[in-house]
């Protein structure tokens, strides 16, 4: 007979390892299936200063390892395996992986979401040296400087407003002549004295030496190219949730995230979604770890009902 875990956790980021910690401490056997290494997106962040308890900040890779070790101290296990498919039906669910099939009575989906890139040359190389995808994480680096925010949705406008309290000047660059962001944001944006909006503009090129010094903008109507000096660019053009494994199996919202409220319960009994992959307003390490704890609470309820 194959072993049946109480909980299979797909993804070893902060949400996944917090679910593992809480499950293990509740006496449940939990297995984290992780493709690469602990931490998920967080592991790519050099300085995390908005996760409480680290007065000097912490690098994401280290924090990921600490979360893994913390969960494993209580008996949670990790299998380094790529998950190819999931069977979420019935009381015993399963994951087909590069290391074989694993079975579980509950499944926690903790696969995360990645920021959508601009797709311009040298974007990856300039990550952290002028190119950023998280204003609340990296905004503090730009006190009294000039920053560009790219995008016209709620996130971009929220980011621009947040950065306007830190930076000397914020330039919002949007590819069309009207915002996608909801009306409630329009007035604060237009009233902010240090925010300028460049309509019908797309980032065509990064201007750089060691660090970013500016960008080339292309007018999306006339095709004209202009240069804009700036110290940093925050890319806020949406995220792509990693839902490939479950897109036909659990309900997704309009933006493609797994539909799950603060209970983390999905449309399938015994299946929970935690962290960036679920519908939520604030995608941060601190909210992902909260989800991990909540998922175990509801999984316990479900397991007791079997
Ligand atoms: P979003 O609503 O999909 O907006 C993405 C923005 O980026 C759009 O303005 C889009 O332009 C632009 N864009 C997309 N691809 C681009 C590209 N390759 N180059 C240049 N611009 C590009 O994404 P989001 O703002 O991250 O929001 C995601 C979801 O979370 C939304 O449902 C949003 O309402 C929600 N959210 C809610 C709140 C809140 O309620 N407080 C806060 C944040 C986010 P176009 O407009 O031309 O398509």
């Amino acid at each position: 007979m194959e072993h049946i875990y109480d909980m299979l956790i797909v993804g070893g980021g902060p949400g996944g390892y917090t679910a593992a910690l809480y499950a293990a401490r509740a006496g449940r056997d939990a297995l984290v299936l992780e493709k690469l290494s602990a931490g998920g997106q967080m592991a790519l962040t050099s300085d995390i200063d908005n996760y409480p308890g680290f007065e000097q900040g912490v690098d994401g890779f280290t924090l990921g390892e600490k979360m893994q070790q913390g969960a494993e101290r209580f008996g949670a296990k990790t299998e380094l395996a790529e998950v190819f498919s999931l069977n979420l039906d019935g009381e015993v669910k399963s994951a087909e992986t590069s290391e074989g099939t694993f079975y579980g009575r509950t499944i926690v989906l903790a696969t995360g979401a990645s920021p959508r890139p601009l797709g311009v040359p040298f974007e990856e190389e300039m990550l952290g040296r002028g190119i950023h995808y998280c204003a609340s994480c990296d905004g503090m680096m730009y006190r009294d400087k000039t920053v560009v925010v790219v995008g016209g949705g709620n996130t971009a406008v929220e980011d621009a407003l947040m950065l306007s309290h830190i930076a000397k000047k914020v330039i919002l660059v949007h590819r069309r002549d009207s915002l996608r962001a909801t009306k409630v944001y329009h007035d604060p944006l237009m009233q902010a004295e240090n925010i300028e909006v460049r309509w019908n503009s797309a980032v065509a090129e990064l201007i750089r030496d060691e660090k970013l010094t500016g960008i080339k903008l292309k007018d999306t109507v006339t095709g004209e190219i202009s240069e804009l000096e700036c110290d940093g660019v925050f890319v806020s053009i949406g995220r792509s949730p990693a839902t490939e494994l479950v897109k036909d199996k659990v309900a997704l919202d309009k933006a493609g995230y797994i539909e799950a409220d603060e209970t983390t319960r999905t449309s399938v009994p015994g299946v929970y979604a935690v962290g960036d992959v679920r519908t939520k307003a604030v995608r941060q390490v601190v909210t992902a770890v909260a989800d991990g704890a909540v998922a175990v609470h509801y999984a316990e309820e479900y397991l007791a009902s079997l």
Side-chain angles (χ1 to χ4, degrees):
M1 261 306 279
E2 293 286 350
H3 180 72
I4 303 171
Y5 286 90
D6 291 317
M7 184 176 277
L8 292 182
I9 297 158
V10 186
Y17 271 115
T18 307
L21 172 68
Y22 274 70
R25 283 176 56 81
R28 299 291 185 177
D29 61 345
L31 176 70
V32 177
L33 298 166
E34 166 56 46
K35 184 164 52 172
L36 278 173
S37 63
Q41 280 290 317
M42 180 179 80
L44 306 176
T45 309
S46 55
D47 298 297
I48 297 179
D49 289 317
N50 55 4
Y51 186 70
F54 295 89
E55 73 282 18
Q56 301 297 327
V58 59
D59 78 90
F61 187 80
T62 303
L63 187 55
E65 282 192 325
K66 282 182 180 297
M67 288 181 178
Q68 176 177 2
Q69 287 158 9
E72 290 180 353
R73 179 155 74 97
F74 294 96
K77 295 190 178 68
T78 298
E79 185 73 43
L80 284 181
E82 185 171 0
V83 178
F84 298 136
S85 68
L86 292 171
N87 173 15
L88 306 180
D89 299 332
E91 286 189 6
V92 178
K93 306 169 195 310
S94 60
E96 298 286 340
T97 82
S98 54
E99 304 303 312
T101 305
F102 296 91
Y103 298 88
R105 294 191 199 285
T106 63
I107 291 198
V108 173
L109 303 167
T111 45
S114 36
R116 199 174 287 150
L118 286 171
V120 293
F122 302 105
E123 186 173 358
E124 238 181 283
E125 287 87 336
M126 298 310 286
L127 184 63
R129 290 191 289 149
I131 291 287
H132 303 270
Y133 298 94
C134 175
S136 60
C137 312
D138 300 337
M140 287 305 289
M141 293 163 64
Y142 293 94
R143 184 163 293 288
D144 298 326
K145 299 199 165 168
T146 298
V147 293
V148 162
V149 175
V150 187
N154 282 340
T155 306
V157 178
E158 269 188 358
D159 287 354
L161 289 168
M162 197 272 264
L163 289 165
S164 72
H165 301 299
I166 300 167
K168 183 172 66 188
K169 181 159 190 188
V170 179
I171 301 155
L172 183 71
V173 168
H174 183 35
R175 64 184 177 183
R176 293 187 294 125
D177 64 356
S178 64
L179 294 172
R180 177 175 297 277
T182 38
K183 282 261 178 297
V184 67
Y185 286 113
H186 294 202
D187 285 349
L189 183 76
M190 297 308 162
Q191 281 159 12
E193 283 179 359
N194 60 344
I195 302 182
E196 176 191 330
V197 184
R198 294 281 180 102
W199 302 107
N200 296 322
S201 299
V203 180
E205 216 176 286
L206 306 178
I207 308 172
R208 70 209 160 86
D209 40 43
E210 269 297 288
K211 285 186 166 186
L212 190 88
T213 57
I215 52 177
K216 285 191 183 172
L217 286 181
K218 183 177 183 180
D219 188 306
T220 55
V221 179
T222 64
E224 198 180 313
I225 299 282
S226 60
E227 285 193 12
L228 180 61
E229 272 183 29
C230 64
D231 302 294
V233 171
F234 287 84
V235 181
S236 305
I237 60 173
R239 283 169 172 262
S240 311
T243 52
E244 200 51 37
L245 288 168
V246 294
K247 64 179 192 295
D248 304 321
K249 296 173 178 165
V250 298
L252 304 182
D253 69 16
K254 277 196 302 218
Y257 293 90
I258 298 174
E259 225 172 70
D261 60 14
E262 294 303 313
T263 67
T264 77
R265 286 186 292 209
T266 69
S267 56
V268 179
V271 179
Y272 307 86
V274 303
D276 287 2
V277 76
R278 85 165 172 91
T279 306
K280 56 159 60 182
V282 182
R283 293 195 167 84
Q284 292 284 296
V285 178
V286 79
T287 60
V289 300
D291 282 358
V294 172
V296 173
H297 172 84
Y298 287 98
E300 280 288 326
E301 245 182 42
Y302 170 82
L303 286 166
S305 75
L306 291 181

